[in-house]
Amino acid sequence: MRPSATTAAALAAALAACGQSTEAPTVMLPVASAGGPLAVATTDLGYEVTTTRLRVAIADLELTIAGEQHAVAAGFYHPGHHAGGDVAGAMPGNVLVDWDGGDGRALGVATLIVGAYQGANFRFRAADGGDGLATDDPLLGHTFHVTGVARKDGADHPFDALLDLAAGTTLVGAVFELVVTEASTETLHLAARPVDPTAGGTIYDGLDFAALATTPAGLVEIRPGSTAHNVFRRPIQTHDHYVLHP
């Protein structure tokens, strides 16, 4: 992690937001990416998509309490998703999260005021030279790099996608439900969920892979400026597809 602010300063702001004394007890918990393969997604257009790797550049993880539940269709609430809560924990700085189907990787350490947490926020950014990437890494200068295979009607469509989000784009209200006490020692795992477990939508909805142009090797390349890029970046930046869990 490359710090963008000191943890002490971040927690001072959190304490002020919560209206608590600076004497409030805090704990420090490690944060890591979740390990294991990403869930196979069946899209609205009938593609079965296996994600082989998903990388994203983010910054300034915030952990919140006392948020309001997100409403979804028909007046029901989206279980676990809370927005507008008070920031009571933080892991400031830039991190690069890599879900490649293997073991999780350490991302840093968060400092949290004891309490009942209900949500997590973070900011998207473009990967840069401070992320330790090779000079020819395709993620440099972009927010997401996603690879996988979409299957439909017996045909495979391997794809490679680079996605850009506008500077300052923030994800608010990812699921994070944990009661933190002075005795807490859990590692917090940040996970990507290609399929929204509540509404059933996927990060690939709207992408007609068979209709997209391919390279001579048969690879679908999704790049900034294309219609497919604009379709893809809308769902992948929503809180529905991320969770922080112990």
Side-chain angles (χ1 to χ4, degrees):
M1 182 177 70
R2 176 162 52 84
S4 62
T6 66
T7 300
L11 262 294
L15 287 163
C18 294
Q20 300 187 42
S21 164
T22 54
E23 297 302 315
T26 62
V27 297
M28 299 181 72
L29 298 180
V31 181
S33 58
L38 294 166
V40 175
T42 300
T43 77
D44 58 340
L45 298 181
Y47 289 94
E48 183 180 85
V49 184
T50 299
T51 308
T52 54
R53 192 176 191 186
L54 193 163
R55 293 188 292 163
V56 60
I58 66 171
D60 302 330
L61 177 67
E62 298 176 339
L63 311 171
T64 63
I65 61 175
E68 296 182 354
Q69 283 190 304
H70 288 283
V72 293
F76 293 101
Y77 287 101
H78 204 156
H81 290 278
H82 293 78
D86 295 323
V87 176
M91 187 182 75
N94 292 350
V95 294
L96 192 65
V97 191
D98 187 349
W99 293 288
D100 62 1
D103 295 334
R105 297 179 176 86
L107 300 176
V109 177
T111 305
L112 301 89
I113 300 168
V114 298
Y117 285 80
Q118 296 177 305
N121 313 324
F122 54 80
R123 178 172 53 82
F124 294 105
R125 62 183 180 86
D128 59 30
D131 290 306
L133 299 172
T135 56
D136 60 350
D137 192 301
L139 183 57
L140 278 173
H142 304 285
T143 304
F144 285 93
H145 184 210
V146 189
T147 60
V149 180
R151 299 178 176 89
K152 185 178 180 181
D153 298 330
D156 286 355
H157 307 279
F159 63 88
D160 181 293
L162 293 173
L163 306 177
D164 292 342
L165 298 186
T169 300
T170 300
L171 181 146
V172 175
V175 171
F176 174 51
E177 295 183 321
L178 180 67
V179 176
V180 175
T181 71
E182 291 181 78
S184 294
T185 60
E186 296 92 334
T187 295
L188 308 180
H189 297 274
L190 181 59
R193 303 193 294 191
V195 182
D196 175 0
T198 301
T202 84
I203 60 174
Y204 302 107
D205 283 356
L207 290 173
D208 190 355
F209 292 93
L212 299 178
T214 64
T215 68
L219 180 68
V220 174
E221 289 188 336
I222 298 174
R223 296 293 185 263
S226 68
T227 299
H229 170 273
N230 296 335
V231 169
F232 197 179
R233 70 178 177 178
R234 284 196 292 270
I236 203 172
Q237 65 178 287
T238 65
H239 65 265
D240 305 330
H241 298 292
Y242 301 91
V243 59
L244 189 68
H245 60 81

